[in-house]
Amino acid sequence: MRHTLLEHDERTGWALVHTCPEAVQRYCVCYRYDKQAGDWAQGHYTDDLLDAVEMYRAETGRPIGATAIRSILADAERALRPLVRRAFEPNEGVYRLDDMGSYVSEADFESYWDGKPEWRRKAWMLADNGAYTEADVAEMSVGQIEKAYDDPCFEPEYAFYTIADEDGFC
């Protein structure tokens, strides 16, 4: 099979490869990758680079990297920014997206993240939100992201969950 090796962890034997542009599932996270033969024992295939990076980084315990966190932030921005509103139902759950007071409904926010790995939402929430920069999050493994987000001392400054007042304003 024609492929491009993107990353290989000699210690664990895991590799991340781009199979070929015309493949339906263009990325593979492979176990027991043989650099000489350009082959592997088994693999998990996906068409989503973030899924592949997540699997690879989780298997090797490596940081998610700058590309992954930039993609998480940009994708969320593109999807959530058009859903920003000024008013909501009274006492409706909302999420504040930034330090500019941009809010989306809880339903819209949860709908965007539904079906995505939970660590991605946590990474989004951690990045540039008071305690960690985007670069800090890029240097975290999936496990470290989970731990940092779940730490009771983490209190987001900009992006967070809140409730609209009785008039539907935040």
Side-chain angles (χ1 to χ4, degrees):
M1 171 190 286
R2 181 177 58 130
H3 70 274
T4 303
L5 178 64
L6 300 176
E7 286 193 45
H8 180 240
D9 186 285
E10 302 267 346
R11 180 181 54 82
T12 63
W14 285 92
L16 174 60
V17 302
H18 180 256
T19 57
C20 62
E22 49 286 343
V24 174
Q25 295 183 311
R26 296 175 299 161
Y27 303 98
C28 183
V29 179
C30 346
Y31 181 63
R32 293 197 319 216
Y33 185 81
D34 181 338
K35 281 179 101 170
Q36 296 286 20
D39 201 6
W40 52 87
Q42 56 188 329
H44 304 283
Y45 294 84
T46 181
D47 62 342
D48 185 312
L49 177 58
L50 271 180
D51 286 342
V53 168
E54 172 191 353
M55 283 187 273
Y56 177 74
R57 300 297 174 151
E59 293 295 346
T60 60
R62 291 185 174 191
I64 64 166
T67 301
I69 190 61
R70 277 195 304 264
S71 181
I72 290 166
L73 296 174
D75 291 350
E77 175 72 16
R78 272 191 300 276
L80 294 172
R81 187 61 51 191
L83 304 174
V84 169
R85 300 189 336 219
R86 290 241 172 251
F88 300 87
E89 294 297 318
N91 305 309
E92 181 179 6
V94 297
Y95 277 88
R96 182 175 174 172
L97 301 181
D98 55 30
D99 61 346
M100 303 301 291
S102 302
Y103 295 90
V104 295
S105 72
E106 178 179 14
D108 287 341
F109 185 84
E110 295 299 336
S111 177
Y112 171 71
W113 293 108
D114 189 40
K116 293 174 179 56
E118 182 66 14
W119 75 266
R120 289 185 193 178
R121 186 181 63 77
K122 291 178 178 182
W124 177 86
M125 188 69 83
L126 288 172
D128 297 325
N129 201 3
Y132 303 97
T133 66
E134 178 182 326
D136 293 334
V137 178
E139 291 301 316
M140 293 179 179
S141 68
V142 171
Q144 290 169 323
I145 288 168
E146 297 273 356
K147 184 177 178 184
Y149 181 86
D150 294 340
D151 184 333
C153 294
F154 172 60
E155 294 185 20
E157 290 182 15
Y158 306 118
F160 55 82
Y161 177 81
T162 190
I163 307 264
D165 67 16
E166 60 276 354
D167 295 320
F169 297 106
C170 298

